[in-house]
Every structure is written in structure tokens, then in C-alpha cells.
Amino acid sequence: MFQSLLERLADRLGVAPPSAGEEITPRIRFDQPWPQWLFVFTALGAVLLVVWIYRRESRLSTLARIVLAGLRVSVILLAMFMLSEAVLSVERTGLPYLTILVDDSASARIADQYEDETTRSGLAELAARGRARPQAESPASAGQTPSRLELAQAVLLEDNAKLLRELERQHKVRIYEVANRARLVAKVDAADDVKRAVERVRGIEPGGSESRLGDGLKQVLTELRGAPPSAVILLSDGQTTDGEPLSKAALAAARKGVPVFAVGLGSVEPARDVELTELLVDDVVFVDDAVRFQVKLTARGVAGEKLKLKLLERELESADPDSERLIETIEVEPPPDGQSKKVEIVHRPRTTGRKGYIVQVESLPRELQTANNRIERTVVVRKEKLKVLLVDGEPRYEFRYLKNYLERDETIELGVVLLSSDPEYSEQDRSALATFPASKDELYAYDVVVMGDADTSFLSQTQMANLVSFVTDKGGGVLFVAGELFNPLSYKGTPLELLLPFELSDARNPTALGQSITAYRPELTLEGRASPIYRFGDDDASSMRIWLDLPELYWYFEAPRRKPAALVLAEHPTAMGSDGKLPLVLYQFVGAGKSMFHAFDDTWRWRFRVGDQYFGRFWVQTVRFLARSRLLGQRQAELQTDRKRYERGDVVEFRARFPNPALAPAGDLTVEITRKGSGSSKLKLSLVPGARNVFEGVMARAAEGDYEARLLPPPVLEGAIPSTSFRVDAPVGEFERIEMNQPELLRLVEATGGRYYTPLSVSSLLADLPKPSKAPLDVDPPITLWNSWPIFALFVGLITLEWVIRKRLQMV
């Protein structure tokens, strides 16, 4: 009854009514409470004193004495009530909170492959019941294993969100994403909130770059209006990549008496996955070229197994461009878990055309994902004849054997200029020319010029300038083959000096100075072993065996100091230059084309006992290597990134190159970068110091996703816009340990008094939750009673009433 009076009082004083699921409990509270003994002594003493006084009033009737004593005692008690500063305090209680944490880190997109067929089918059916995807894309209909996040969504949403609806009846439900931090997704305080929560749960995406599960759990324990939840349901794989571990956060939950019920997502078996990235191959090749397909192979969980790598071909210009044909198959050893290795397949195309080449690794049982098992590039295969101009001063051995071979090769159209020959030579030899081409047009008709030991006195300044322009502007290739008389020492101070990939100031002919040369075999550098020029066999090992078996050489020219941009392919095994071993074969890009230098002139010795087999292959591959820049000359600009895949936080380096420097703009370039599903941004590329046609720029702090970048070209460019693509992934830590951390989840539930479930055993979760009880939510601001007008009026009224009665009884 007294509580009912307090509730009426609270209502009269304007206390807000309770909301759905809440109750209010008004109480009288004293801000200046008396000590209990003093309060009892004072109240009892006052009552006894008043009773004693009025008992002595014998002239009054018993009723009068009782009324007057009651009024006096009421005044005394009301005074004590006011002196104690009484206030009305209203406490609110309601349904307890229950928190659901959904792991939305990047690893939640993993679709685990389970060995047990029953488990696989059961999880697919669960995801279908939960309709975590639209019906047409449900894992059951698509025959796919659902991802970890899809399983979490299915647990919450199966059977028309039955779990959420049951929890809502006795709890206030809060649903959080927990990856980088805990973020509120939905509130379920009433039945009408369930529909909105279902849509929010379906909208959760696995994009978190970190898994901070322990930090997220501690956060939700403290932020619910000061009242910890009655229980926490965690749907996660249990892997923490940063912050506090779950086992430590469990201690905080245990201190607050909050049990955690964990639903483990994923497989406890080590994940198996093989990935192919960064396929490198030339865009344009020739028929019968040894084309190298280099790919980066990353593997996990396949130690000790052999992997089958396949090369497939598609004829893109045929009637059936999607038809794939198997070309090569090799077996490779996988790299250690989480590491990568480069793998190479070599193929010699026999037909021309535009082809799609696919490198593919065979899928493994229970492999995590197979979409990353193949990678494709488009390659143009050509067979047109290359026009080569061979220039020399004397018919030395190198000239003779090279001329004879190139004349016979059906892929070469040869022109020969022998500077010391008689005028009749050009009429007697079908390949011979009377003079070096006099005009640019005549010279530009060739793809490659091979300059032997040619005396520059036979060439005019214009002809030498035309040769420089042939390389720098037209994209042609030039090869200088050293000689003991003129090449390259006589080129100092001429326009040809620009094309040489080394500094002439330190160069010398050792035999001209009386130095003897012992037989040697050039050593290939790393760049040389990777170059198609030295591909004598079907793979690196066989090519290297052939190279080491070739006859030795007996002369070389010393060019000890290469130019900064030059690359060395072969060097002397013992003789030293200014930057290490003496370079013997080196080349550089000069403008749109390439220039190469051979410091020896006796490759004809490689014909010993094998004829033209290796000598011819070496020279044809050299010619094709030098001609490739010109064949790509129709590409007016190129845009590249230093890699195709990055991690968040990596710097993405962009490089734009104009093969023809005349087309390069004078100012900066702009690249438009678009992230899939998001907007675009622009990046400035600046000219590289010392270069005329190369521009570079960097992009920092790129978010995870797939990117397309395209060059916003200057007006002088025509044709297709140069573009490239790349991908930014979550840090490797998020995928470093991707199997479910079941031991951590078990420690969590044991420490907090919860239970562990799999997605298929979660049906008992509702029965295992602690019985809900009303939980304190908040206390309203106190309402002052002791100095309010009603209390003051009551006090005055009691005193006045006593005085009036005493007056009527003639006691005053």
C-alpha cells in the first residue's frame, strides 16, 4: 500500500512513466540522514514527552488529549523529516541486456572446405535457411560452402530470425560488429525492431583489417548504461591479430559475472590454399621464341605435396575464343607456408595470332578457394620477317658466319654493308648494299642494325645522326660488336657515342697494349640468366648446361665503366671493372629503342661440332630482343605499378613511360585511380630527373580493394588510353592464421561460465542462457520534498490546527 502511495506521488510530481519493458520503483531517501540511534531516541523521547504532558491534562476529554497529542507528534516527526532533507528517488529497472558480437574481419570471408560431407551439406543447408544471401545465390543452390560470415548471419537469421525473436522477449538485444573495434549494428528492444535488425545483419561485410576480439569484448561490457549484459554471444573464428587476447578479456567478463557463449566459425584443420599472382610474359613474341611465363606461387597447408602447374592457350581470334588447349604441365615443390616462390614455364608458340595464355595450378582437396588458382595474360605471336642491317669494315670471321646464317634464316631479311668492299660487291652479293643508307626513310625501314668493326670515316655526320634517331625516336635496336680496329674507340666524339652503354673515357683494347688474353667463358648475370637471348634449352637448367659447354672465347674489349642505366647480361669471370666484374654484354634503353654492346667478336667459335644450332639461336634471339621495342612502338605510352598486389599501408608506385620521347609532355601527368565500388581520385606523376620520357608518383594509405588506374593522356596521344590494375589486401596478419582458434574459444567460455557451440549445434543456446531477471537501468534525478511548498503547507497546517483546537478548548 505504501509503495502504491509512493507511485501515485511520483506520478503527481511529473516522473516520466516507464517505457516498454521497464519498471519504476519510487523511494524516500534522506540526503542528511540522522544516526539511527539518535533518530529512535529523539522520536521515542518526543512521543513519550507529549503523551506524558497530555496525560496530566485531566480537565480534557480522552478524545481531545489523543487528537492534540497526535497533532504534536506529527509536527515533531514532520520537522525531523524536513531536517533530514528528504527527497523522492525513482529507480528504473528493465529487461536485461544481451550482446551479440559478430566477427566481421577480413578472414570472415573465408569459405572453409570441410572433409566431412555431412558437415559440408549441413552448413550449406543452414546458410540457405538463414537466407544470408539472396535465394538465387544461396550456397546450397550454388553448390558452394558458405563463408564464415554467412554462417554467422545464418545462425542469427535462420527460420525467420527465430533466435532474435526469442531473445527479444526477455532481453534488450544489442548486435555489434567486432573487428577493428566494436561497432553497434542494431538494437532489438521490441518485436518491431527485429525486421530492421535482420536487414542490418544481412548488410554486414567482411572488411575489417584486424581482429581485436578481446578489446571489443571489454568495450561492450562497459558501455550499456553502466549495466553489464546478462550474457554475450560471440560468433567468431577466435583468431585475434591485434590488441588484447580473448583469454585476458575473459577475466573482465568473469569479474562482472557475464558468461560468454561462443559459436566457433571455420575449420580447426590447417587451411589449404594455393595462389598464383604476378604473371610476367612479353606482350609480343615471335613464332618459335622460347617464351618464358614467370608466375609467383604462394601456398599454405600443402607441405610435402607436389603441385601440378599447367599452361593453357586460347585462340582469341578464333570462332571459339573460350576453348582452352593444354600446352605444358610441370610438377613443382610448394614453398613453405605463407611464403612464395617464382615458377617458370617455357613454351615455343608455333602459330601466329592474338592468344590468351593461362597459367593454372590444379585444385587441391579441401582447398580454401580456387578462384586464385589461375591467371591469364594476352600475348601477340608474330612471324613477319625482321629487317636487319649488318655493317662491318672487313669480312672477319664473325661477319662471315653471321651473314651466312642470317641470309638463310627465313625470319630475317638481311641487308649488308661491307665498308671496305669493292664497288662490284653490291652487284655480286644479293644481300649487299653499295653504301650505308643515306636517308632516314631508308634506315627506318630496318628493325635492327648490327655495327661490326666499322670505320666511322666511311659514315657522314648525317648518317650517324640518323642512326641515333633510328634508335631514340623510331624505337629501333642497334648492336655494337667490338673489333680490334675501330669499334668502339673511334666512335668517341661522334653522335654514336650516345648509343654506347658504357663510358668510352676508360675503355681500351688490351691486345693493342701488348696484353695477352687467356681463354675464358663469359659468366651470365642474374639479368642474363633471365634474358631470352640466352635461352638455349627448354628451361633454365638445360640452358645453363648448354652455355657452360660452349667453346671458350679468346678476345675481349675492356669497357670497365657502364652508364648508370645500362644492364649487364654477361661479364668476365675474373677481370674486374669499376663496378665489379668486367662487363662483356650490356644494353640500355635510349629513348624509344635499345642499344647493346658485345665486347667480343668470336661467337662463331660456338659452331664447333654443332654447326649453327646454338650460334644461330643466340643471334636470332638477340635480334628479336632488340627489335621488340620497335614492334611495340605503336604503344605511345605505358602505365605500370611496381607490383600487382599490395597490403594496406604499402606505397603504390606508378610509372608512366613514353617510348617516343617526342610525345612526352613538358609538365606533369595525371593518373585517375578508381576503387571498385567507390569513387575516384587523381594522382600527379612528375618527370624523373635526368629522363625525358619517364614519369613517377606514389600513392599512400590505400584502402583494401580492387583498383583501376588510367593515364589522363596529353592531347598528342592517340588510340587506347594506357591503364593498369592492382589490388590492396588486408595485412598478412589477418590471413596468417586462418584456421579456427578453438582452444582460445574454449578457454573463453570456461573462464566465464559460458558454453561453446558449432553452427550446427547452436540449437541448444536459448536453453543454456542464464534465466533473465530485471536489471537496474538508471536512477532519475531526485525530487526534493523537504523544502517543497506542499510539505511547508502541511507543517503550517498542523501547527495551525493544533492552535485552533487548543483555542476552542480554552487552553490558550
Side-chain angles (χ1 to χ4, degrees), residues 589 637-642 652-658 669 671 683 685-686 688 691 693-698 711 722 724:
F589 284 94
E638 301 169 348
L639 179 65
Q640 296 177 330
T641 53
D642 58 323
V652 183
E653 299 180 8
F654 287 87
R655 185 175 188 266
R657 176 178 173 271
F658 291 79
L669 287 174
V671 172
L683 176 70
L685 304 187
S686 301
V688 174
N693 61 335
V694 179
F695 298 78
E696 292 181 349
V698 297
L711 187 65
T724 188

Side-chain angles (χ1 to χ4, degrees), residues 7 17 27 100 131 161 194 200 285 365 576 787:
E7 290 175 1
R27 290 190 176 89
I100 300 175
R131 291 186 298 175
V194 174
R200 298 272 180 89
V285 299
M576 302 302 292
N787 66 346

Side-chain angles (χ1 to χ4, degrees), residues 218-390:
K218 292 186 70 174
Q219 177 185 334
V220 301
L221 290 174
T222 57
E223 68 175 25
L224 298 176
R225 297 175 66 180
S230 63
V232 174
I233 299 174
L234 173 65
L235 299 104
S236 172
D237 58 15
Q239 291 289 7
T240 300
T241 61
D242 199 4
E244 199 166 90
L246 277 173
S247 54
K248 190 172 182 180
L251 300 178
R255 284 195 298 269
K256 292 179 177 288
V258 180
V260 180
F261 296 81
V263 181
L265 304 175
S267 172
V268 296
E269 299 170 355
R272 292 162 60 85
D273 189 36
V274 182
E275 181 181 22
L276 297 178
T277 56
E278 299 181 24
L279 175 57
L280 301 179
V281 63
D282 289 329
D283 294 336
V284 178
V285 299
F286 296 93
V287 169
D288 205 37
D289 258 358
V291 183
R292 303 165 61 131
F293 295 85
Q294 286 188 339
V295 68
K296 182 185 286 187
L297 171 67
T298 306
R300 187 188 303 273
V302 294
E305 300 183 34
K306 290 281 189 179
L307 301 178
K308 284 190 177 181
L309 210 63
K310 298 178 179 180
L311 179 66
L312 301 100
E313 180 186 80
R314 293 194 300 126
E315 297 285 352
L316 299 180
E317 296 173 345
S318 68
D320 186 11
D322 294 328
S323 177
E324 298 177 357
R325 181 173 64 89
L326 178 63
I327 297 174
E328 302 281 349
T329 301
I330 63 172
E331 283 193 345
V332 296
E333 294 280 352
D337 276 7
Q339 300 184 26
S340 59
K341 65 183 289 188
K342 288 186 177 180
V343 182
E344 181 177 293
I345 299 180
V346 179
H347 168 60
R348 294 183 182 274
R350 306 299 180 186
T351 58
T352 62
R354 186 166 167 268
K355 303 174 185 292
Y357 285 100
I358 303 106
V359 178
Q360 175 177 304
V361 61
E362 279 192 353
S363 302
L364 302 171
R366 298 186 299 103
E367 187 172 356
L368 188 63
Q369 53 181 330
T370 57
N372 57 4
N373 283 27
R374 56 186 279 147
I375 188 169
E376 181 174 1
R377 289 290 182 271
T378 299
V379 177
V380 177
V381 182
R382 296 184 175 182
K383 195 180 181 179
E384 68 258 33
K385 286 189 173 184
L386 294 177
K387 296 194 68 175
V388 177
L389 179 62
L390 177 61

Side-chain angles (χ1 to χ4, degrees), residues 442-589:
E442 290 178 313
L443 184 58
Y444 284 7
Y446 291 93
D447 297 299
V448 175
V449 176
V450 180
M451 292 289 291
D453 198 15
D455 186 355
T456 54
S457 64
F458 285 88
L459 304 176
S460 67
Q461 289 292 316
T462 300
Q463 288 174 315
M464 287 188 285
N466 288 347
L467 183 56
V468 173
S469 177
F470 164 77
V471 177
T472 59
D473 297 336
K474 196 63 178 176
V478 63
L479 169 62
F480 295 94
V481 181
E484 297 194 48
L485 300 177
F486 305 105
N487 185 355
L489 289 177
S490 66
Y491 300 165
K492 188 172 184 179
T494 71
L496 299 183
E497 186 175 2
L498 172 69
L499 299 179
L500 295 173
F502 59 89
E503 302 293 348
L504 267 176
S505 56
D506 301 327
R508 69 187 189 117
N509 179 1
T511 56
L513 300 175
Q515 178 180 333
S516 62
I517 295 178
T518 57
Y520 69 94
R521 180 178 291 106
E523 287 184 354
L524 296 181
T525 63
L526 288 175
E527 290 81 4
R529 287 196 290 271
S531 172
I533 294 175
Y534 300 96
R535 176 64 66 172
F536 296 107
D538 291 333
D539 53 37
D540 281 342
S542 60
S543 295
M544 203 63 199
R545 285 194 299 270
I546 293 170
W547 173 258
L548 295 175
D549 286 340
L550 292 177
E552 295 178 315
L553 306 180
Y554 291 87
W555 180 81
Y556 63 85
F557 181 86
E558 286 188 10
R561 189 154 57 98
R562 63 182 178 88
K563 290 181 178 178
L567 293 174
V568 179
L569 301 181
E571 55 195 12
H572 197 281
T574 57
M576 302 302 292
S578 58
D579 300 316
K581 291 184 177 180
L582 184 71
L584 297 177
V585 179
L586 61 166
Y587 78 96
Q588 66 178 354
F589 284 94

Side-chain angles (χ1 to χ4, degrees), residues 558-637:
E558 286 188 10
R561 189 154 57 98
R562 63 182 178 88
K563 290 181 178 178
L567 293 174
V568 179
L569 301 181
E571 55 195 12
H572 197 281
T574 57
M576 302 302 292
S578 58
D579 300 316
K581 291 184 177 180
L582 184 71
L584 297 177
V585 179
L586 61 166
Y587 78 96
Q588 66 178 354
F589 284 94
V590 187
K594 298 173 187 170
S595 67
M596 178 177 285
F597 179 73
H598 283 185
F600 44 80
D601 66 348
D602 44 356
T603 61
W604 55 270
R605 299 181 186 275
W606 295 345
R607 300 180 69 258
F608 183 67
R609 292 183 176 175
V610 293
D612 292 327
Q613 183 176 358
Y614 303 127
F615 171 82
R617 180 168 292 181
F618 168 78
W619 277 103
V620 167
Q621 291 175 171
T622 298
V623 167
R624 290 177 176 177
F625 175 79
L626 292 170
R628 191 162 282 116
S629 294
R630 186 168 185 191
L631 294 177
L632 295 174
Q634 60 187 3
R635 182 181 299 173
Q636 297 177 326

Side-chain angles (χ1 to χ4, degrees), residues 79-206:
M80 295 177 67
F81 179 84
M82 297 172 66
L83 290 173
S84 298
E85 298 186 4
V87 297
L88 182 67
S89 174
V90 179
E91 295 182 358
R92 296 180 181 271
T93 59
L95 295 176
Y97 286 103
L98 186 139
T99 300
I100 300 175
L101 303 181
V102 180
D103 187 348
D104 68 324
S105 60
S107 61
R109 74 168 66 106
I110 294 172
D112 297 85
Q113 301 299 315
Y114 298 86
E115 190 169 1
D116 180 49
E117 175 61 31
T118 303
T119 301
R120 286 201 303 271
S121 60
L123 293 176
E125 291 173 6
L126 171 65
R129 291 198 307 271
R131 291 186 298 175
R133 294 176 179 173
Q135 188 65 29
E137 300 177 9
S138 70
S141 62
Q144 300 173 0
T145 303
S147 70
R148 295 175 181 179
L149 178 59
E150 288 167 348
L151 289 175
Q153 292 167 326
V155 167
L156 300 178
L157 306 182
E158 70 167 323
D159 299 333
N160 195 25
K162 177 183 176 181
L163 178 62
L164 293 182
R165 296 184 189 278
E166 291 293 332
L167 291 174
E168 177 273 328
R169 293 178 182 177
Q170 296 180 315
H171 302 84
K172 289 187 175 182
V173 182
R174 297 292 182 266
I175 304 174
Y176 288 82
E177 295 174 336
V178 55
N180 300 344
R181 63 183 183 87
R183 188 178 72 84
L184 184 64
V185 173
K187 298 179 180 181
V188 184
D189 294 334
D192 293 340
D193 297 333
V194 174
K195 184 177 180 181
R196 187 182 309 110
V198 168
E199 296 303 320
R200 298 272 180 89
V201 169
R202 282 181 177 157
I204 297 176
E205 294 290 339

